[in-house]
Amino acid sequence: QVPLKPGRSLMDWIRLTKSGKDLTGLKGRLIEVTGDELAKHNKKEDCWICIRGFVYNVTPYMEYHPGGEDELMKAAGTDGTDLFDQVHRWVNYESMLKECLVGRMAVKPIAAPKGIPSTLSEEKKQLNGMLPEKKVLGASAKDLTPSCDWFQTDSSITIVIYTKQKVMNAELVTVDCQGKQLRGEIIVDDHSYVVEVDLDHAVQEDLAVNIAEKVGKVEIILKKKDNIHWKMLGQPLESHNTFIKRMDRGLFYRKCKLVSKTEVTHDTKLFCLMLPKSTHLHVRTGQHVYLKQIIAGTEVVKPYTPVLPFLPLDFKEPSHRDGAHIYLMIKIYSCGLFTQALDHLQIGKYISPEGNFKKSQVQTSEDLFLLAAGTGFTPMVKLLDFALTEISCLRTVKLIFFNKTEDDILWRNQLEQLALKEERFEVQFILSQPTKDWVGKQGKISSSLLSEVVKRSRRDSKVLICICGPTPFTEQGVQYLKDLGYSPEEIHTFTA
């Protein structure tokens, strides 16, 4: 992120979009844009960008963009969908840029590939027995595609998903039942398989999910509201039976009740959100969720990494999570539009999981270093729990925690107690604005500092370095680590 000029905050942008000013330069008209026409608008004072087939005049947004003008200019006059997805796919651009919409791209009709029905008749088949297969991947990948079936008793409906994976666990399965709409998502590496059905009859609020981990079978068990025989499961919805890359899957939100807010430091609070009764969701280690709020009529979304309700001091057993709550440690900024609204929240917000960390990155490591700045500590909490509980090959786990002052250190007492109790764990606090009484290390992230605190336990040990904090901290840290000889495969960055 870059510093914005005064009067260029998110709230200022929202006010501008509601002022009635013509932000497209087309006086309210929507046009069809050719590729040649789009390419002409590639300057800061005249910048159009295409995202998912829609063209926006982002010229008036230049000074309001948190990533700076240069980031927007990378996609000037072109299709910026891929770049947008890489940087911040979670941003609701339709809401943020709706007053900048120029029109739709003019595209030539593309012939439908063979084997794909030209009508929706196949999609609207009654779901009875095996569900209709939608070939999203190529033929070579057909064998990898999960499949689905269902059966019933007098009182229940069971949907069975055969994932064709030898390893499957609760963190890879998300199920929601909102009213009569059932949605189940299975994560298979970097792909996502979804079952999405408008159920034929009503079901009770609570559901159960059984997972046969070693054979990769997932059962979703619903209780019927009325003990009647269902002739079919229901009607398939748009995403039903699709197996696509996770990056191409839209976010899914559910309403969560805010249960409590607890002060952690002078400007950071621990929020406890309760999931709906009809949701099965275990956020994976290293993954984040999205909170969505409507602020002045505009949808604003921010990512946060869930933490544990407290830091365990005994890592002999995997921590038991009730699956009903999500805990988020969030810094409240005095001038932050989103966090101020969140701090005043009394009830009910929305979340959806996403992220790119793979546990296998830790499972083969002997030395694990966690570099965190401020609330960049949050993804490290579950990672610490997982590493110290389940990875016996780890020799050392070291947290290097950067903060401005002692008052800013999150869970300092718990971390110090953990370091005393767990011989493999070490924590080092580094302050950039210490008092004269501070006896620990001080300064900001640098090559010389990292060369002191990040050291392999032996010359050839397998190391993983995870880093999270503000963007400049993360980018500088990665560069310093590379300069010190660590390979890209040994470095993982989290989104702060």
Side-chain angles (χ1 to χ4, degrees), residues 7 25 39 45 56 108 118 158-159 271 287 289 296 313 317 331 345 349 352-353 365 388 396 422 435 466 479 481:
E45 61 276 8
Y56 299 90
K108 294 178 181 177
S118 58
T158 301
I159 296 106
F271 291 76
Q287 309 292 287
V289 299
L313 295 179
E317 296 288 332
K331 184 172 182 177
L345 182 69
K349 273 306 120 194
S352 182
S365 300
L388 292 172
T396 59
E422 172 60 64
T435 62
C466 297
Q479 189 55 55
L481 290 167

mmCIF file of all heavy atoms in Angstrom, residues 7 25 39 45 56 108 118 158-159 271 287 289 296 313 317 331 345 349 352-353 365 388 396 422 435 466 479 481:
data_model
loop_
_atom_site.group_PDB
_atom_site.id
_atom_site.type_symbol
_atom_site.label_atom_id
_atom_site.label_comp_id
_atom_site.label_asym_id
_atom_site.label_seq_id
_atom_site.Cartn_x
_atom_site.Cartn_y
_atom_site.Cartn_z
ATOM 1 N N GLY A 7 -7.992 13.580 1.953
ATOM 2 C CA GLY A 7 -9.221 13.651 1.153
ATOM 3 C C GLY A 7 -9.331 12.559 0.111
ATOM 4 O O GLY A 7 -10.172 12.638 -0.789
ATOM 5 N N GLY A 25 -17.297 9.685 -18.072
ATOM 6 C CA GLY A 25 -17.086 10.587 -19.207
ATOM 7 C C GLY A 25 -18.036 10.310 -20.348
ATOM 8 O O GLY A 25 -17.904 10.870 -21.437
ATOM 9 N N ALA A 39 -7.626 -0.463 -25.951
ATOM 10 C CA ALA A 39 -6.173 -0.228 -25.991
ATOM 11 C C ALA A 39 -5.820 1.256 -26.082
ATOM 12 O O ALA A 39 -4.729 1.669 -25.673
ATOM 13 C CB ALA A 39 -5.551 -0.992 -27.157
ATOM 14 N N GLU A 45 -4.305 9.861 -17.335
ATOM 15 C CA GLU A 45 -5.422 10.802 -17.452
ATOM 16 C C GLU A 45 -6.574 10.238 -18.285
ATOM 17 O O GLU A 45 -7.609 10.898 -18.458
ATOM 18 C CB GLU A 45 -4.941 12.134 -18.047
ATOM 19 C CG GLU A 45 -4.348 12.038 -19.435
ATOM 20 C CD GLU A 45 -2.875 11.644 -19.444
ATOM 21 O OE1 GLU A 45 -2.330 11.289 -18.372
ATOM 22 O OE2 GLU A 45 -2.270 11.690 -20.536
ATOM 23 N N TYR A 56 -14.084 -0.569 -17.148
ATOM 24 C CA TYR A 56 -14.255 0.528 -16.193
ATOM 25 C C TYR A 56 -13.273 1.648 -16.520
ATOM 26 O O TYR A 56 -12.116 1.394 -16.866
ATOM 27 C CB TYR A 56 -13.994 0.040 -14.762
ATOM 28 C CG TYR A 56 -14.935 -1.048 -14.311
ATOM 29 C CD1 TYR A 56 -14.634 -2.395 -14.524
ATOM 30 C CD2 TYR A 56 -16.134 -0.740 -13.671
ATOM 31 C CE1 TYR A 56 -15.503 -3.399 -14.119
ATOM 32 C CE2 TYR A 56 -17.010 -1.728 -13.257
ATOM 33 C CZ TYR A 56 -16.685 -3.060 -13.481
ATOM 34 O OH TYR A 56 -17.549 -4.050 -13.074
ATOM 35 N N LYS A 108 -16.304 -11.803 -30.019
ATOM 36 C CA LYS A 108 -16.836 -12.648 -31.081
ATOM 37 C C LYS A 108 -17.410 -13.911 -30.466
ATOM 38 O O LYS A 108 -16.837 -14.450 -29.512
ATOM 39 C CB LYS A 108 -15.722 -13.011 -32.067
ATOM 40 C CG LYS A 108 -15.181 -11.808 -32.834
ATOM 41 C CD LYS A 108 -14.057 -12.241 -33.753
ATOM 42 C CE LYS A 108 -13.498 -11.037 -34.507
ATOM 43 N NZ LYS A 108 -12.354 -11.404 -35.366
ATOM 44 N N SER A 118 -26.119 -27.750 -25.629
ATOM 45 C CA SER A 118 -26.371 -26.364 -26.029
ATOM 46 C C SER A 118 -27.531 -25.753 -25.263
ATOM 47 O O SER A 118 -27.750 -24.562 -25.323
ATOM 48 C CB SER A 118 -26.675 -26.307 -27.535
ATOM 49 O OG SER A 118 -27.788 -27.133 -27.827
ATOM 50 N N THR A 158 -28.831 -38.478 2.949
ATOM 51 C CA THR A 158 -27.371 -38.535 2.979
ATOM 52 C C THR A 158 -26.829 -38.317 1.574
ATOM 53 O O THR A 158 -27.167 -39.066 0.646
ATOM 54 C CB THR A 158 -26.859 -39.882 3.522
ATOM 55 O OG1 THR A 158 -27.364 -40.065 4.854
ATOM 56 C CG2 THR A 158 -25.334 -39.912 3.550
ATOM 57 N N ILE A 159 -26.030 -37.271 1.410
ATOM 58 C CA ILE A 159 -25.340 -37.017 0.142
ATOM 59 C C ILE A 159 -23.917 -37.542 0.296
ATOM 60 O O ILE A 159 -23.225 -37.195 1.253
ATOM 61 C CB ILE A 159 -25.318 -35.514 -0.212
ATOM 62 C CG1 ILE A 159 -26.750 -35.000 -0.428
ATOM 63 C CG2 ILE A 159 -24.506 -35.241 -1.464
ATOM 64 C CD1 ILE A 159 -27.274 -34.151 0.662
ATOM 65 N N PHE A 271 -12.000 -10.872 18.413
ATOM 66 C CA PHE A 271 -13.420 -10.993 18.080
ATOM 67 C C PHE A 271 -13.791 -12.470 17.983
ATOM 68 O O PHE A 271 -13.086 -13.243 17.340
ATOM 69 C CB PHE A 271 -13.719 -10.319 16.733
ATOM 70 C CG PHE A 271 -13.593 -8.818 16.742
ATOM 71 C CD1 PHE A 271 -12.355 -8.201 16.743
ATOM 72 C CD2 PHE A 271 -14.728 -8.022 16.756
ATOM 73 C CE1 PHE A 271 -12.241 -6.823 16.744
ATOM 74 C CE2 PHE A 271 -14.630 -6.635 16.755
ATOM 75 C CZ PHE A 271 -13.385 -6.036 16.756
ATOM 76 N N GLN A 287 -4.835 -20.155 6.509
ATOM 77 C CA GLN A 287 -5.835 -19.583 5.614
ATOM 78 C C GLN A 287 -6.477 -18.356 6.256
ATOM 79 O O GLN A 287 -6.445 -18.192 7.470
ATOM 80 C CB GLN A 287 -6.945 -20.608 5.317
ATOM 81 C CG GLN A 287 -6.424 -21.957 4.863
ATOM 82 C CD GLN A 287 -5.781 -21.909 3.507
ATOM 83 O OE1 GLN A 287 -6.446 -21.787 2.491
ATOM 84 N NE2 GLN A 287 -4.472 -22.022 3.468
ATOM 85 N N VAL A 289 -10.042 -15.601 6.282
ATOM 86 C CA VAL A 289 -11.467 -15.461 5.986
ATOM 87 C C VAL A 289 -11.721 -14.010 5.598
ATOM 88 O O VAL A 289 -10.882 -13.139 5.825
ATOM 89 C CB VAL A 289 -12.354 -15.844 7.188
ATOM 90 C CG1 VAL A 289 -12.142 -17.280 7.591
ATOM 91 C CG2 VAL A 289 -12.121 -14.912 8.369
ATOM 92 N N ALA A 296 -21.912 2.929 4.054
ATOM 93 C CA ALA A 296 -22.479 4.012 3.219
ATOM 94 C C ALA A 296 -22.976 3.461 1.883
ATOM 95 O O ALA A 296 -22.768 4.065 0.836
ATOM 96 C CB ALA A 296 -21.437 5.106 3.001
ATOM 97 N N LEU A 313 -0.451 -24.114 26.058
ATOM 98 C CA LEU A 313 0.898 -24.306 26.601
ATOM 99 C C LEU A 313 1.287 -25.780 26.606
ATOM 100 O O LEU A 313 2.393 -26.133 26.974
ATOM 101 C CB LEU A 313 0.977 -23.742 28.025
ATOM 102 C CG LEU A 313 0.796 -22.221 28.125
ATOM 103 C CD1 LEU A 313 0.855 -21.771 29.570
ATOM 104 C CD2 LEU A 313 1.854 -21.502 27.307
ATOM 105 N N GLU A 317 -1.398 -32.875 22.543
ATOM 106 C CA GLU A 317 -2.600 -33.268 21.802
ATOM 107 C C GLU A 317 -2.998 -32.148 20.847
ATOM 108 O O GLU A 317 -2.849 -30.983 21.173
ATOM 109 C CB GLU A 317 -3.768 -33.524 22.769
ATOM 110 C CG GLU A 317 -3.548 -34.691 23.707
ATOM 111 C CD GLU A 317 -3.646 -36.028 22.995
ATOM 112 O OE1 GLU A 317 -4.362 -36.101 21.978
ATOM 113 O OE2 GLU A 317 -3.002 -36.981 23.442
ATOM 114 N N LYS A 331 -6.528 -5.346 14.670
ATOM 115 C CA LYS A 331 -6.063 -4.045 15.148
ATOM 116 C C LYS A 331 -7.067 -2.984 14.707
ATOM 117 O O LYS A 331 -7.446 -2.910 13.536
ATOM 118 C CB LYS A 331 -4.675 -3.736 14.568
ATOM 119 C CG LYS A 331 -4.063 -2.442 15.083
ATOM 120 C CD LYS A 331 -2.626 -2.295 14.615
ATOM 121 C CE LYS A 331 -1.985 -1.045 15.158
ATOM 122 N NZ LYS A 331 -0.564 -0.929 14.766
ATOM 123 N N LEU A 345 -19.555 -2.836 15.859
ATOM 124 C CA LEU A 345 -20.497 -3.891 15.488
ATOM 125 C C LEU A 345 -21.099 -4.566 16.716
ATOM 126 O O LEU A 345 -20.401 -4.869 17.668
ATOM 127 C CB LEU A 345 -19.739 -4.926 14.642
ATOM 128 C CG LEU A 345 -20.529 -6.114 14.097
ATOM 129 C CD1 LEU A 345 -21.501 -5.624 13.032
ATOM 130 C CD2 LEU A 345 -19.566 -7.116 13.494
ATOM 131 N N LYS A 349 -22.051 -10.647 11.098
ATOM 132 C CA LYS A 349 -21.342 -10.251 9.874
ATOM 133 C C LYS A 349 -21.078 -11.482 9.016
ATOM 134 O O LYS A 349 -21.520 -12.570 9.328
ATOM 135 C CB LYS A 349 -20.024 -9.543 10.217
ATOM 136 C CG LYS A 349 -20.187 -8.046 10.426
ATOM 137 C CD LYS A 349 -20.865 -7.351 9.265
ATOM 138 C CE LYS A 349 -22.137 -6.672 9.704
ATOM 139 N NZ LYS A 349 -22.998 -6.258 8.616
ATOM 140 N N SER A 352 -15.909 -15.781 4.675
ATOM 141 C CA SER A 352 -15.712 -16.856 3.710
ATOM 142 C C SER A 352 -14.232 -17.206 3.673
ATOM 143 O O SER A 352 -13.392 -16.316 3.687
ATOM 144 C CB SER A 352 -16.157 -16.415 2.311
ATOM 145 O OG SER A 352 -16.009 -17.486 1.413
ATOM 146 N N PRO A 353 -13.880 -18.513 3.662
ATOM 147 C CA PRO A 353 -12.464 -18.894 3.761
ATOM 148 C C PRO A 353 -11.727 -18.868 2.432
ATOM 149 O O PRO A 353 -12.304 -19.093 1.381
ATOM 150 C CB PRO A 353 -12.537 -20.337 4.283
ATOM 151 C CG PRO A 353 -13.825 -20.840 3.733
ATOM 152 C CD PRO A 353 -14.774 -19.666 3.691
ATOM 153 N N SER A 365 10.034 -29.964 7.097
ATOM 154 C CA SER A 365 11.030 -29.011 7.584
ATOM 155 C C SER A 365 11.627 -29.457 8.919
ATOM 156 O O SER A 365 10.983 -30.129 9.717
ATOM 157 C CB SER A 365 10.408 -27.622 7.759
ATOM 158 O OG SER A 365 9.913 -27.142 6.537
ATOM 159 N N LEU A 388 4.037 -27.583 16.503
ATOM 160 C CA LEU A 388 4.501 -28.151 17.766
ATOM 161 C C LEU A 388 3.711 -29.390 18.175
ATOM 162 O O LEU A 388 4.180 -30.201 18.967
ATOM 163 C CB LEU A 388 4.436 -27.095 18.867
ATOM 164 C CG LEU A 388 5.431 -25.930 18.698
ATOM 165 C CD1 LEU A 388 5.161 -24.842 19.733
ATOM 166 C CD2 LEU A 388 6.875 -26.405 18.786
ATOM 167 N N THR A 396 13.722 -26.943 15.612
ATOM 168 C CA THR A 396 13.534 -25.612 16.187
ATOM 169 C C THR A 396 12.341 -24.905 15.549
ATOM 170 O O THR A 396 12.108 -25.024 14.337
ATOM 171 C CB THR A 396 14.783 -24.720 15.967
ATOM 172 O OG1 THR A 396 15.036 -24.612 14.564
ATOM 173 C CG2 THR A 396 15.997 -25.298 16.655
ATOM 174 N N GLU A 422 8.155 -25.194 26.294
ATOM 175 C CA GLU A 422 8.408 -26.004 25.088
ATOM 176 C C GLU A 422 9.845 -25.790 24.636
ATOM 177 O O GLU A 422 10.203 -24.725 24.141
ATOM 178 C CB GLU A 422 7.409 -25.602 23.993
ATOM 179 C CG GLU A 422 7.652 -26.199 22.634
ATOM 180 C CD GLU A 422 7.624 -27.704 22.618
ATOM 181 O OE1 GLU A 422 6.566 -28.299 22.909
ATOM 182 O OE2 GLU A 422 8.685 -28.292 22.305
ATOM 183 N N THR A 435 11.645 1.917 24.710
ATOM 184 C CA THR A 435 12.016 2.862 25.767
ATOM 185 C C THR A 435 13.469 2.586 26.147
ATOM 186 O O THR A 435 14.052 1.576 25.747
ATOM 187 C CB THR A 435 11.122 2.664 27.005
ATOM 188 O OG1 THR A 435 11.329 1.341 27.505
ATOM 189 C CG2 THR A 435 9.651 2.851 26.647
ATOM 190 N N CYS A 466 8.431 -18.423 7.274
ATOM 191 C CA CYS A 466 7.136 -17.811 6.974
ATOM 192 C C CYS A 466 7.178 -16.349 7.417
ATOM 193 O O CYS A 466 7.685 -16.032 8.498
ATOM 194 C CB CYS A 466 6.017 -18.539 7.712
ATOM 195 S SG CYS A 466 5.840 -20.260 7.198
ATOM 196 N N GLN A 479 13.311 -10.118 0.174
ATOM 197 C CA GLN A 479 14.525 -9.761 -0.557
ATOM 198 C C GLN A 479 15.780 -9.985 0.305
ATOM 199 O O GLN A 479 16.784 -10.524 -0.171
ATOM 200 C CB GLN A 479 14.475 -8.296 -1.012
ATOM 201 C CG GLN A 479 15.602 -7.904 -1.971
ATOM 202 C CD GLN A 479 15.669 -8.803 -3.189
ATOM 203 O OE1 GLN A 479 14.690 -8.975 -3.913
ATOM 204 N NE2 GLN A 479 16.823 -9.434 -3.412
ATOM 205 N N LEU A 481 16.135 -12.103 2.743
ATOM 206 C CA LEU A 481 16.336 -13.546 2.901
ATOM 207 C C LEU A 481 16.973 -14.147 1.650
ATOM 208 O O LEU A 481 17.862 -15.011 1.739
ATOM 209 C CB LEU A 481 15.001 -14.236 3.211
ATOM 210 C CG LEU A 481 14.411 -13.943 4.600
ATOM 211 C CD1 LEU A 481 12.970 -14.413 4.681
ATOM 212 C CD2 LEU A 481 15.242 -14.606 5.698
#
